[in-house]
Amino acid sequence: MNVTEKFGRFLYGGDYNPNQWPREIWEEDMRFFKDAHINSATVNVFSWAKLQPAEDRYDFSELDDIVTTLARENVEIVMATSTAALPAWMVKKYPEVARTDFEGQQHRFGGRHNACPNSPAFRRLASALVERLAERYAGHPNVRIWHVSNEYGGECFCPRCEAAFRNWLKEKYGTIEAVNKAWNMEFWGHLVYDWDEIVVPNALGDGFDGGEKTAFAGISLDYRRFMSDSILDNFRMERDIIRKHDPDAVVTTNLMGTYKGLDYFRWAKEMDVVSWDNYPRFDTPWSFIAMRHDLMRGLKDQPFMLMEQTPSQQNWQPYNTLKRPGQMRAQSWQTVAHGGDTIQFFQLRRSVGGCEKFHGAVISHAGTENTRVFREVAELGAELERIGPEILGSGSPAEVGILFDWDNYWALEYTSGPNVLLKYVDQIHRWYEWCYDHNVAVHMIPADADFSKYRAVLAPVLYMVKPGVAEALEAYVREGGTLLTTAVSGIVGPSDNVWLGGYPGPLRALAGVWVEEWDALAPGQSNSMVFGDGTEIPCGMVCDLMHAENAEVLARFGSDFYAGMPALTRNAFGKGTVFYAGSVLESKDMDPVMGPVLERAGVSPVIPEKTGLEVVCREKDGMQYLFVLNFRDEPQCLPDSLAGLEDLLSGKKTEAGEVLSKWDVRILKRAKED
Amino acid sequence: MNVTEKFGRFLYGGDYNPNQWPREIWEEDMRFFKDAHINSATVNVFSWAKLQPAEDRYDFSELDDIVTTLARENVEIVMATSTAALPAWMVKKYPEVARTDFEGQQHRFGGRHNACPNSPAFRRLASALVERLAERYAGHPNVRIWHVSNEYGGECFCPRCEAAFRNWLKEKYGTIEAVNKAWNMEFWGHLVYDWDEIVVPNALGDGFDGGEKTAFAGISLDYRRFMSDSILDNFRMERDIIRKHDPDAVVTTNLMGTYKGLDYFRWAKEMDVVSWDNYPRFDTPWSFIAMRHDLMRGLKDQPFMLMEQTPSQQNWQPYNTLKRPGQMRAQSWQTVAHGGDTIQFFQLRRSVGGCEKFHGAVISHAGTENTRVFREVAELGAELERIGPEILGSGSPAEVGILFDWDNYWALEYTSGPNVLLKYVDQIHRWYEWCYDHNVAVHMIPADADFSKYRAVLAPVLYMVKPGVAEALEAYVREGGTLLTTAVSGIVGPSDNVWLGGYPGPLRALAGVWVEEWDALAPGQSNSMVFGDGTEIPCGMVCDLMHAENAEVLARFGSDFYAGMPALTRNAFGKGTVFYAGSVLESKDMDPVMGPVLERAGVSPVIPEKTGLEVVCREKDGMQYLFVLNFRDEPQCLPDSLAGLEDLLSGKKTEAGEVLSKWDVRILKRAKED
Amino acid sequence: MNVTEKFGRFLYGGDYNPNQWPREIWEEDMRFFKDAHINSATVNVFSWAKLQPAEDRYDFSELDDIVTTLARENVEIVMATSTAALPAWMVKKYPEVARTDFEGQQHRFGGRHNACPNSPAFRRLASALVERLAERYAGHPNVRIWHVSNEYGGECFCPRCEAAFRNWLKEKYGTIEAVNKAWNMEFWGHLVYDWDEIVVPNALGDGFDGGEKTAFAGISLDYRRFMSDSILDNFRMERDIIRKHDPDAVVTTNLMGTYKGLDYFRWAKEMDVVSWDNYPRFDTPWSFIAMRHDLMRGLKDQPFMLMEQTPSQQNWQPYNTLKRPGQMRAQSWQTVAHGGDTIQFFQLRRSVGGCEKFHGAVISHAGTENTRVFREVAELGAELERIGPEILGSGSPAEVGILFDWDNYWALEYTSGPNVLLKYVDQIHRWYEWCYDHNVAVHMIPADADFSKYRAVLAPVLYMVKPGVAEALEAYVREGGTLLTTAVSGIVGPSDNVWLGGYPGPLRALAGVWVEEWDALAPGQSNSMVFGDGTEIPCGMVCDLMHAENAEVLARFGSDFYAGMPALTRNAFGKGTVFYAGSVLESKDMDPVMGPVLERAGVSPVIPEKTGLEVVCREKDGMQYLFVLNFRDEPQCLPDSLAGLEDLLSGKKTEAGEVLSKWDVRILKRAKED
């Protein structure tokens, strides 16, 4: 059974902080929740200072009342642990609990997500709090999900972190010689002879540009890994305390999509279920939102919880546009389509003050259910209550895997050259977007995935090839798999040292090409890929000057001094095939590349027709649930292959040619073909 | 008698720092002053280090000589107190006198305007200096105006300020519980239990983006208030010492228009006369300059001193264009038109070195009177000498008040959402600009103004409604007043906590509308207001989704999902009327809004005709002085209603249709009608 | 004999750091070097930590092996001293060796070029290392060139530098009164009474905008001079140790063209030969590259070493484009044309890791000679081996000198006003570019040059006129010289205090004009210069409102209120002539200005024809070597005057009308005419 299925109902609710209001408001809230079909509430996210007014004093009375009130209404409580914001008294008493920033400045009391992960005082006091919380609430029938801290992230560069980093390195490398070799410290005479000569790579060490750049990728990469691990240790510390008190508790923390700072694939292994916060900008492409859902689903290859979205408006974007009527519903169903098994809002009641007071909420500052937003929330709640349980825990089939890897994310963006515009997530998204536009289902997969589950694997900008990855890809292709990779792949090993002997290094045999040089193109410059049939598509940013060694040339560069050199190749390797695209493409131009890839791999889109609709499939118990969504301004006709199916939302059978307006949703059920 | 009238002459002069030159130059200067009709000089602005070479040593000999020299020529001396720049020895001996910046860095010796306002050493030493200055020069017949410090501003975040801030808070709130409530510290678990848990909201606390943004508006707002008060205490400290020695002294300090850091309405209460420094950029709109004059005049509802302007060029702008021939004269008369009772330059003689050495001066580096600039200064001097006394102290009638409030300025710009482009002064200026373009006289008024003095009150983006303000506005409208307010009004109380129950909170009954939501528009996006007669004007940035409760709908939104919802309303309230504009407009589009407002209020422009000329009225002893200025590239004809009047400048009677070229000025005198 | 001639061969090679690879790779390298005609290698640039693993331990074994290996192959070794990057143990043991940055933060271990120049520990330890290096390798037959540190630059603001600065000031000024006068400290009350009241002008003192701006140009200018001198002291310290061991050693360090931080004219006096690193961006104008070569040549008025260029690609530019086939060769010959007597690459073998791992190298990561880049390097090597010795040490004749002065560079850009767009190097380049486009040979000369060597001297934006310079220019013109200067010249003396009495101060008599005012134009604004014959050319940025005192007016402003005022003048002074251009021009518009200048001066371009080719002359032993290069996309015909000459590269005689494609090069030899 999937972890989200254990609740038996589709959780619908969100963040609830009634502390700011008197009790009569709480009662009103309970009525609103019922009206809106809200059945879950996340509580206690930022209450440490309230729960523990001083080191030797705890007070759970208000939280008890909140739990009692919610439980009375049979609301599922997502119990947060409150450790994401330090109490002021603690920062004053133990200044070490606050972080030291990239510039080397020790912070004082302020903001949130501000604890040094390696502070003994923080770890001791956070443990003590969670111990008491777990003692008190674990096992409560309405407290079955625990939400540790909140939106973990950031980094610290304090002396305690420096000491812990040195220990982490000792553990990893064993000898100082191994460190020197891993980081190639001969370069620029950086050799260290003793562990305590290693200093944190902030602005006073090897880092610069606010941490975006570094003089030595090796140390900065390891610091990112160390920091991700340090914070993960904080999570594990709290999780283990909770588990001690309730071995069946579902323990999660809310992630943030393509957030750079933490290696979420490592994190997911420690989490019972992935939950995440979906906050697109007004102009974020729909494909990008979908990709982040798929990435979050892919972290554990399981349905996820949507821990936060806004019912309508955000407040911290430059332009906080309203979600249009129907948009929140469509986005919610898109979430479910991509594997979301809960829909939770930040927040249930809009705060009276503080910096997020204009963030959208189910209950507005007007304090009434007579709002557009409340009505939309309530309508969706009714739908989810009705349809949700049927879908709960269903799978998300896909024949294509796209490799996403935080080590690559970090390493590619630390590297100086060839082109400053080469950004990891953007590059991955370009290929995802093409699949999205063609309704080709995708799994976002880690570098250590079981590739054999996919007909095709896309591994764009696989700049860093970690130990075992090339071998796994070779095995996959040898057995018949189809792999696509691109320029700026196969370049470095796990510490950002180059794989010598010719690019793409360990992928050279696989791809059957040797990349002798790469050209970098400035904005406004472009080249093209010219195919045998005369088709020509623009490309740019980086152009590989490559030689086909075993590979067949599918397209050649159209201009510049390397016109005629291979630009796109296909290599037979074992029973499989490897495509290599030697430049950067926009998704709208990828048809002549992706067409052959999918054809070779035998990948089919979810429906045979090309359509402007998003069509996504979930599966359970032999049934398919096809989510059909229109995110375009123009109305779209339902493709013929989707006619005659039951729409769970309306209860009606679809008709060929029926029109979906913007934000329209259908959930069509059909038996899975074998 | 108005404070500027006590001098009996129109003060014309400026900043004079002869310290850099030998005595023979001083004598030459006296001749130049006479030639240029200069009758006042500001001295001693930055001489602390000269006057006090060491803690136990003072030397006033040079200043004595300067005073003697100027007095001999019957020049009115504006005596500065020199405390705006710390001596180097003092910073070395008492490092605390220098400020700690937003990033938490303690500064050393450098720059100016650099004293920590809460430094005991600074306060002690500044007092001691001023005591000696006042002892020595107070009562001198030519020293009747005192100029305390210079261009007060900036902020400090040192431990002494932190301690003083805690005391200021104790005074204001009494209990720590009241602080928690005011700042809504429940949010993000920010509760404090002891005064010394409160830390200054700089980059190491709750501030970010260089101080432009904050995690908690409550603390940052209070810190701004505290810092404005702290610096005001410095002013009061010096003022009181001067007053002790000369109870009749006129004490001022030079303000800076719409400078954000200090609450000038609070300051003005402590100043005998407002003085200010007018430094527009080459592309600052003339309406913006006029607005700042009116704001400075409005601080005390009195004529002001123009303490600084450049005779021609600035030096610290990116592009320091020359004032064109006639421009300085026109700008000076514009100043007088808006209530200026002095014209003073920075500076009289151009400095030989230092960072302002290329700032314009009456006497250039060439050291001769044979320059265009000197000639223009001399010509204006003659005019002011002739005409000034007649105008001195005259009033500035207006039927429209525009509310300007530093608390709103701060709070609106700290707030996160809905739209980052929403800037306070820009929003106020849009409405002012419409009045300016239509020659509707305006008073810039504080939130605690006597509204009953105005036929119409404009209160755009009245985001924060402080205690008593809604009540005062209600009383004003009930008695027949006309009020216009706009989107993003009535949102929060004095600590930035939302007025619950539906926007615009305490203005809801007044406006007769309920704003359910607000949409934010990104650049390039727009909506429109469509009037009953089909008129359509563009609007954007923020659009209120509002319901007319009692109000009449004058215009509705033209597009998007809220097309047809009210965009502009008019509400009858008591004997008066309230207009509510539910979006942001550009002044050029406001005719269909402002036309009805003025019509309802019975407001008349200064002249009946529409004209491209600026026409401003001052009044005294039953006479009106109409300043007619052409700031447009195109020549403008004199409107008929201004024909046949005496022009004080030329001594001639105006003729219908006579043409004013760019920079031309007329000062027309007529009897006031009753 | 020129210093580069002593090697008897044209040095071709580059930076070689074999430490990262095993010995078998070294042997492979030797074979590659031979194939590529590489005969020199720079070693030991960043090996301090390797050579000295602890304070009391040195290990030269690896360096010995490198030297032995290279010497065996008769490679000329450029021995670097390794002091450009501090060992980690040293920073840990002596934190003072690391710099304190502009923000006042003491750095820790990281990066390179990071030593405080005034740290006693650094000076002691660097001396000790160089002592041992020199003991060991000085006098080795293949070690005749020493490369001290690397790319000196940056600055430090630590307490040790502060103390040293005070001493430097005592030395320079003698009394504190002289300091106050030099820096005009009366302004803003900045007077200091004791040396230790002077604090470094960083962000905590008088500096701001990251050091680009300052409140007091005087102190910041002196700090730049002091810092340049301090770092130069580091160079001298190492040089003297080397000289002690080998009085014949050629000692250099690699400079960086128009790098702002160091006064290279002062530096060159201490260097045996100038070497520099040529790293243009993909879009750097060819004239700009040429100007930097000429500047480097001009530092000692001698041929220079090109210490670094990339064989193909850089890595730290935003867009690291490949050098096109033939481009590296053309750029190398351009270098030789402008006085380069070596061609050395960074780097010989591409590094396996570290931040420059994607910087181009002769031997790529593929580790093979079978690359385009290697082939091009080898082909050029063969050409240089064949032709180089003939050219080695030849002179670079020029009739025009362009004055370039670091004091002006610093002072002009510190100054606030009149126009933020006025950048020193850009202004100089505009005039250089005109000469370049017309194949007029130029020497870049210092303010204390012997002007009499030139028919014409161009001194654009000679903002600061230091003692003696005006007198020297007067003497030069009086004897018949032709001088051109421009707006924003003659303004200040050596400490940035204005020359009183009318601009252009000490140049007023020379130019015969008085500049009464200067207007600043914003982007998008322009004026024009109108000549007697009706010719009109655009001008802008700054426009002088000037009066011809003795000068003849050649052009007048075309618009604005100063239309008709002089814009370009010519003044007879003694036997010579002075042109004054009262505004900023683009080089493409300068024909009507530069035509008369060259005509008056009797300057001839290298060839009589106008051509799109770059044509540059070197001379030796009565022969001229004409370098003809095509850097344009369009093919260019060889001018007639160059027909019938021997091309050293092809061995053929040129024909009239023969076509040079992009990147084509000819080296034509002819006897010098007298």
Side-chain angles (χ1 to χ4, degrees), chain A residues 76-117:
Chain A
E76 189 77 45
I77 294 169
V78 179
M79 178 62 74
T81 61
S82 259
T83 54
L86 299 165
W89 63 258
M90 195 183 297
V91 184
K92 186 180 149 229
K93 189 166 181 184
Y94 305 104
E96 62 157 69
V97 299
R99 291 181 179 171
T100 293
D101 63 23
F102 182 77
E103 310 299 327
Q105 296 269 86
Q106 161 83 48
H107 279 234
R108 306 174 74 210
F109 178 61
R112 54 172 192 166
H113 306 152
N114 45 7
C116 167

Side-chain angles (χ1 to χ4, degrees), chain A residues 290-309:
Chain A
M291 181 181 79
R292 288 194 290 209
H293 282 312
D294 282 354
L295 179 61
M296 294 296 97
R297 207 208 63 80
L299 291 181
K300 292 188 80 72
D301 196 11
Q302 271 183 19
F304 59 85
M305 300 175 68
L306 185 80
M307 187 65 90
E308 293 188 18
Q309 70 172 349

Side-chain angles (χ1 to χ4, degrees), chain C residues 14-167:
Chain C
D15 201 75
Y16 184 53
N17 292 299
N19 325 48
Q20 302 171 38
W21 293 284
R23 302 298 162 105
E24 57 269 27
I25 295 286
W26 302 12
E27 294 305 319
E28 202 173 50
D29 289 338
M30 294 307 114
R31 183 168 52 79
F32 287 144
F33 291 177
K34 194 154 290 172
D35 290 352
H37 307 268
I38 282 170
N39 60 22
S40 82
T42 306
V43 303
N44 201 41
V45 178
F46 291 113
S47 312
W48 197 347
K50 187 70 165 280
L51 300 176
Q52 189 179 10
E55 183 161 3
D56 56 359
R57 206 162 71 246
Y58 291 90
D59 177 359
F60 295 96
S61 56
E62 190 181 63
L63 184 55
D64 284 349
D65 290 352
I66 293 170
V67 167
T68 305
T69 303
L70 289 166
R72 194 190 69 206
E73 305 292 329
N74 193 24
V75 171
E76 189 76 46
I77 294 169
V78 180
M79 179 61 73
T81 60
S82 260
T83 53
L86 300 166
W89 62 259
M90 196 183 297
V91 185
K92 187 180 150 233
K93 190 165 181 185
Y94 305 104
E96 62 158 69
V97 300
R99 291 182 179 171
T100 292
D101 65 22
F102 183 78
E103 309 299 327
Q105 296 269 84
Q106 161 84 48
H107 279 234
R108 307 174 73 209
F109 177 61
R112 52 173 194 166
H113 307 151
N114 45 7
C116 167
N118 290 300
S119 155
F122 169 70
R123 294 177 59 93
R124 175 174 59 80
L125 290 160
S127 293
L129 175 73
V130 177
E131 190 76 46
R132 279 164 180 79
L133 280 169
E135 262 171 28
R136 194 167 197 97
Y137 302 109
H140 186 293
N142 288 70
V143 181
R144 293 185 292 173
I145 318 179
W146 288 76
H147 172 315
V148 173
S149 189
N150 186 64
E151 291 183 349
Y152 274 116
E155 45 193 359
C156 179
F157 296 92
C158 76
R160 279 152 301 282
C161 285
E162 188 164 88
F165 181 46
R166 290 168 184 160
N167 286 333

Side-chain angles (χ1 to χ4, degrees), chain B residues 132-149:
Chain B
R132 278 164 181 78
L133 280 170
E135 261 172 27
R136 194 168 197 97
Y137 302 109
H140 185 293
N142 288 69
V143 181
R144 293 184 292 172
I145 318 179
W146 288 76
H147 171 316
V148 173
S149 190

Side-chain angles (χ1 to χ4, degrees), chain A residues 110-155:
Chain A
R112 54 172 192 166
H113 306 152
N114 45 7
C116 167
N118 290 298
S119 155
F122 168 70
R123 294 178 59 94
R124 175 172 60 80
L125 289 160
S127 293
L129 175 72
V130 178
E131 191 75 48
R132 278 165 181 78
L133 279 169
E135 260 173 29
R136 194 167 196 97
Y137 302 109
H140 185 293
N142 289 70
V143 181
R144 292 185 293 173
I145 318 179
W146 288 75
H147 172 314
V148 173
S149 191
N150 188 64
E151 291 183 347
Y152 274 117
E155 44 194 0

Side-chain angles (χ1 to χ4, degrees), chain B residues 504 507-515 546-554 566 568-574 576-578 580:
Chain B
L507 307 179
R508 184 168 173 181
L510 255 176
V513 298
W514 169 43
V515 176
M546 65 173 162
H547 306 276
E549 295 188 315
N550 293 308
E552 176 188 357
V553 178
L554 299 187
L568 176 72
T569 60
R570 180 171 57 197
N571 194 42
F573 186 92
T577 309
V578 180
Y580 184 95

